[in-house]
Amino acid sequence: MTAAERAKLPTAIGGMVPPIHLSDLAQLLFNEIAGLLHAEGRAEPRFAQHVALLAIRLEQIQRFQAVLETAGDTCTSRSVRKVDGETVIAEMIRARPEVAMLSDAMRQAQSLLGELMLNPSAALRIASGKQDAAGEFDDF
């Protein structure tokens, strides 16, 4: 195996190996997320598919955002009808389909970040550590 072929293989971070079906960008995002989990001591192979799904959604967010920045948030559709023998052209301005797809991808990414405890409120909980109230059996 050549060095170039080895460089293309997914690398494991904290035991988490990106699935081979991920694109190059999704693998980079996977490794970034796995690195965050590894830094917190929470990178486990059983989370790999969950992290892969988050990486795919983050990639989609970037792609949809790029389309909207280039093409705009709206598009115009024209329809031609005959009304009383005359041709009528109607124009409708609608949101581009990418607007709804971006919203859905962002909603799912936010949910996945919460499930992986990578959002700010989870970080505060992890940092402070949930302390149980002192009890009479603490000395055991």
Side-chain angles (χ1 to χ4, degrees):
M1 181 179 286
T2 67
E5 290 172 329
R6 269 195 306 272
K8 289 185 178 181
L9 289 175
T11 56
I13 296 178
M16 297 180 72
V17 179
I20 59 173
H21 65 82
L22 295 180
S23 68
D24 290 342
L25 176 58
Q27 285 189 19
L28 288 172
L29 292 166
F30 180 98
N31 287 335
E32 183 180 337
I33 298 161
L36 292 172
L37 290 170
H38 181 67
E40 295 177 356
R42 300 186 301 115
E44 296 184 31
R46 63 187 170 135
F47 297 149
Q49 291 300 325
H50 215 70
V51 172
L53 182 56
L54 176 57
I56 290 168
R57 284 313 228 172
L58 293 174
E59 178 186 26
Q60 288 173 342
I61 288 169
Q62 288 184 15
R63 190 171 60 244
F64 297 146
Q65 188 64 40
V67 169
L68 293 173
E69 287 175 4
T70 305
D73 294 347
T74 60
C75 59
T76 304
S77 64
R78 293 183 179 158
S79 61
V80 179
R81 297 183 303 181
K82 292 267 186 182
V83 177
D84 296 329
E86 291 186 34
T87 301
V88 177
I89 299 173
E91 283 191 358
M92 294 186 73
I93 298 175
R94 298 178 182 216
R96 295 185 65 80
E98 290 85 355
V99 172
M101 291 186 283
L102 175 63
S103 177
D104 184 51
M106 290 176 83
R107 192 176 310 108
Q108 188 174 15
Q110 182 180 14
S111 174
L112 289 166
L113 284 167
E115 289 177 18
L116 290 168
M117 296 182 70
L118 290 173
N119 56 13
S121 64
L124 289 174
R125 272 184 282 161
I126 291 171
S128 65
K130 186 177 179 185
Q131 301 289 331
D132 291 336
E136 59 184 305
F137 298 107
D138 286 348
D139 294 335
F140 290 111

